[in-house]
Each structure stands twice: as C-alpha cells, then as structure tokens.
Amino acid sequence: MQRIFSGIQPSGIPQLGNYLGALRNWVALQEGHECIYCVVDLHAITQWQDPRELARQTRELAASLLACGIDAERHVLFAQSTVHAHVRLAWIFNCVARMGWLNRMTQFKDKAGRDRENVSTGLFVYPNLMAADILAYKATRVPVGDDQRQHLELANDIAQKFNHDYGVAFFPTIEPVIQGVAARVMSLRDGTKKMSKSDPSEQSRINLTDDADTIAQKIRRAKTDPEPLPSEVVGLDGRPEARNLVGIYAALAGLDLQGVLIEHGGKGFGAFKEALAALLVARLAPIAAETRRWLADPGAVDGVLRAGAARAAAIAEPIVDEAERLVGFLKP
Ligand code: TYM
C-alpha cells in the first residue's frame, strides 16, 4: 500500500482553497492508502506567530481536519513539532540543498517580497523542512494544491542528491497528487490572485466555518464581469473571476467546467451566484457543525494529536536514524 503524506499550516481556519485543492483529496485518498497528515506548526513560525494563538490555532485546525473527514483511527493525524524526526532530517537536508535551488523558489520570493533582508532564515529553508516532512516517512504520494508543485520538485532534487552523495537508493521519488478543477482556487476579489488565509480582506475567501449568511454575502459581492456565463469553456478565457466561480461550482458539484456551463451557460451572475452560495452552504455547513462539536471537547482533539504523534514517531524515527547512520553520525 502506498504511503501518503501531507501538511497544512495552522494559520487559521482553512479556507475554501485549502479544502478544494487539498483537504478533500486527503479525505478521498484514505481509501486504499496509508495516510499521514500533519499540522505544520514548525513551518508556521517561519513568520511571526503569537504563542498563545499558535497553540489555539493548531488545535482548531486539527478539529477542522477531523470535521472534514480525516479518520484518525485508521490514519495518522499529529502536530509536526511533536515528532522530532522532522527537524533532525531537515538539518541534514539544509546541508544537501543548494542556495541556488532555494533562490528559485517563487513562494519565498512572494512571501519575502521587498523585505528579503528582514525575513527569517527559516522562511528561506522552509522547503527543506517540507522535504523532510515527507521523506522522514518515505512517503511516495503527496496531495497538495498547485502552489506547492515547485516545493515537491525541490524535495525530489534533495532526495536524489542525498542518494547520489551517499551512494544509496534510500529515499524514494515523490509523486505530487494535484487534482481536479480546483487545484488553484482564486481570491473572490481578484481572479488573478490565489485565495489565501493571509489575504487581509475577509471578503476574498470563504472560511470553512463561515455561516450561511456570510457565505451568501461573500459570493454576492464576489467580483465578476458584466457578461452572462458562456456556454462553452473557451468563453471563460480572459475572464478569471468567472472561471474561478465556475471552477468552485464544478468542484463542489462533482462536474467539469463544461458540465457547469451546460446547466448555467447564458445565465447572469445573479442567478448563478445564488446557486453557488446554496451549494457552498450545503457542503460546508456540516463541516462547520462538526468542527464546533470537536472544539467543544479540546481534550479529545489533544488526545487524537497525542496518539497520532506516537504513531508518526514510530514510523519516522527509525528512517531518520538510518539516514543519520548513512551520513556518518556515530550512534553509540
Ligand atoms: P498551506 O498551509 O499553505 O496550504 C495547505 C494546502 O492547501 C493548498 N492550497 C490551495 N489549493 C488550491 N487553491 C488555493 N487557493 C490554495 N491555498 C492553499 C496548498 O497547496 C496545500 O496543499 N507548505 C505547505 C504545508 C506543508 C506540506 C508539507 C505539504 C508542509 N509540509 C509536506 C505537503 C507535504 C503549506 O504551507 O500549505
């Protein structure tokens, strides 16, 4: 059975992009795979986090993942900082990855912006830790949204260089699982920008715990153009906001873009937005309710994470012990 690994940062309740681009696939892949899912708090502190908020958001995110359908009995759910294998392997990878490789990472450039001299060094080596997350389990399939593609290519470069430098076939090749019409969900305010938890505008995203009124209002105010919906997919070219809303609808309804246009082509955005809001509410309301149920019992969430950490460590520690032996560390 193939082993899956993926992670998500505890920087607030997941938004619709996280859900459609990644979490929904996490849930689906539980059938037929051994899955290890991680709340990546070590990655979160590459940018400043208030300590009390970080702890609260880690628990809240775990609750949200359970509510989405992660089955922590059959699979593994834990917080990254509680399994030390991640940082041990990340250090080795800091010494394998090349400056030039990391300099090419577009997400670093986006996040650092013009403030390059002032961002943490952790933000620069962030992709090395991500490679360590996956390879500490020798996981071979990684479900993510499209924005993580470059990081996974780098992880494969690191694995290959490690194998080459130490003359071994130790780390496997990783296969990104980037699926569906919603691998890149865009902002509701700007169809050329990714939907993101860190966007200052609440109106730009749907959060998985938004109530029905909030969802309807955000969709009603979502940016569109004055034309009706086209009846063919090519008619979405050059219309990023229209394409995004149709893509979201398609992902939620289990259709492709053309399928949505067969139903809604020719309609104005008023009617389409109403249908989209209703679909979102129908899909997200049960997740919001289930998240609240988990959060009412924080001890239960912590128990899941504690048990998950023990099971994750049991897999990762021997693999990282072996990597350290290959590097030449004395294990007296
Ligand atoms: P993060 O926390 O930014 O996002 C979690 C997942 O959600 C996907 N995603 C999106 N998909 C489609 N449209 C969007 N607008 C959108 N926004 C986010 C992301 O692609 C991701 O799959 N570095 C990772 C976390 C990580 C990780 C790992 C992932 C750490 N270690 C190891 C895989 C394997 C991140 O910051 O994701």
Side-chain angles (χ1 to χ4, degrees):
M1 204 187 305
Q2 286 206 69
R3 185 174 287 159
I4 298 259
F5 182 95
S6 201
I8 178 169
Q9 293 199 52
S11 42
I13 284 287
Q15 37 83 9
L16 187 64
N18 297 130
Y19 180 65
L20 295 180
L23 305 181
R24 228 166 48 129
N25 294 334
W26 293 18
V27 172
L29 288 163
Q30 293 181 124
E31 259 343 291
H33 293 90
E34 174 193 9
C35 299
I36 302 169
Y37 295 132
C38 183
V39 178
V40 295
D41 49 359
L42 296 170
H43 276 109
I45 64 162
T46 56
Q47 294 178 299
W48 171 252
Q49 303 292 327
D50 179 304
R52 267 170 314 200
E53 279 293 290
L54 181 61
R56 189 184 62 72
Q57 291 188 343
T58 299
R59 188 183 288 127
E60 190 179 74
L61 179 56
S64 179
L65 296 176
L66 291 164
C68 286
I70 299 302
D71 179 350
E73 308 243 305
R74 286 169 51 225
H75 300 277
V76 177
L77 177 65
F78 71 106
Q80 189 186 28
S81 64
T82 58
V83 177
H84 299 150
H86 294 247
V87 278
R88 289 165 55 204
L89 189 59
W91 181 256
I92 295 175
F93 287 173
N94 285 343
C95 304
V96 172
R98 305 289 93 184
M99 290 291 285
W101 300 358
L102 291 170
N103 269 326
R104 283 196 287 277
M105 293 297 111
T106 54
Q107 201 158 83
F108 175 75
K109 290 184 207 166
D110 290 348
K111 284 191 180 167
R114 265 173 274 135
D115 206 20
R116 227 184 128 99
E117 294 297 312
N118 267 321
V119 294
S120 74
T121 49
L123 190 66
F124 188 65
V125 294
Y126 179 115
N128 298 344
L129 175 59
M130 202 170 141
D133 293 340
I134 302 161
L135 292 166
Y137 300 86
K138 293 192 176 180
T140 49
R141 304 194 74 200
V142 182
V144 286
D146 188 60
D147 60 339
Q148 298 300 318
R149 187 187 296 274
Q150 193 186 31
H151 288 159
L152 297 188
E153 284 165 8
L154 182 94
N156 273 330
D157 290 342
I158 292 175
Q160 240 178 46
K161 181 161 163 56
F162 180 99
N163 287 346
H164 176 268
D165 288 353
Y166 295 103
V168 288
F170 188 65
F171 288 119
T173 302
I174 298 163
E175 182 202 336
V177 184
I178 301 174
Q179 270 170 351
V181 276
R184 196 172 189 85
V185 176
M186 309 310 274
S187 157
L188 298 178
R189 308 299 308 162
D190 177 352
T192 63
K193 250 174 62 185
K194 191 177 75 170
M195 185 179 285
S196 160
K197 283 182 273 190
S198 57
D199 192 312
S201 165
E202 265 296 317
Q203 296 297 321
S204 71
R205 65 180 158 265
I206 305 279
N207 301 311
L208 291 198
T209 47
D210 282 350
D211 61 27
D213 287 345
T214 310
I215 292 174
Q217 184 243 52
K218 285 180 178 175
I219 292 296
R220 222 177 295 126
R221 290 195 192 155
K223 188 176 167 202
T224 44
D225 54 46
E227 303 297 317
L229 281 172
S231 49
E232 298 287 335
V233 177
V234 284
L236 294 171
D237 288 354
R239 300 176 67 187
E241 284 83 16
R243 174 179 289 271
N244 189 39
L245 295 185
V246 172
I248 292 171
Y249 191 104
L252 291 168
L255 296 169
D256 58 12
L257 297 177
Q258 189 58 52
V260 179
L261 295 179
I262 288 170
E263 274 180 36
H264 295 278
K267 281 189 197 161
F269 275 103
F272 179 64
K273 282 178 165 180
E274 255 177 55
L276 175 58
L279 188 55
L280 276 163
V281 170
R283 292 286 187 277
L284 300 189
I287 297 177
E290 192 60 12
T291 304
R292 279 194 296 278
R293 203 181 66 72
W294 275 105
L295 284 176
D297 189 356
V301 178
D302 291 2
V304 166
L305 291 176
R306 211 177 307 117
R311 285 160 62 200
I315 303 169
E317 300 292 345
I319 293 175
V320 176
D321 284 347
E322 184 57 24
E324 289 187 340
R325 263 185 224 105
L326 291 170
V327 167
F329 293 166
L330 183 63
K331 297 266 172 205

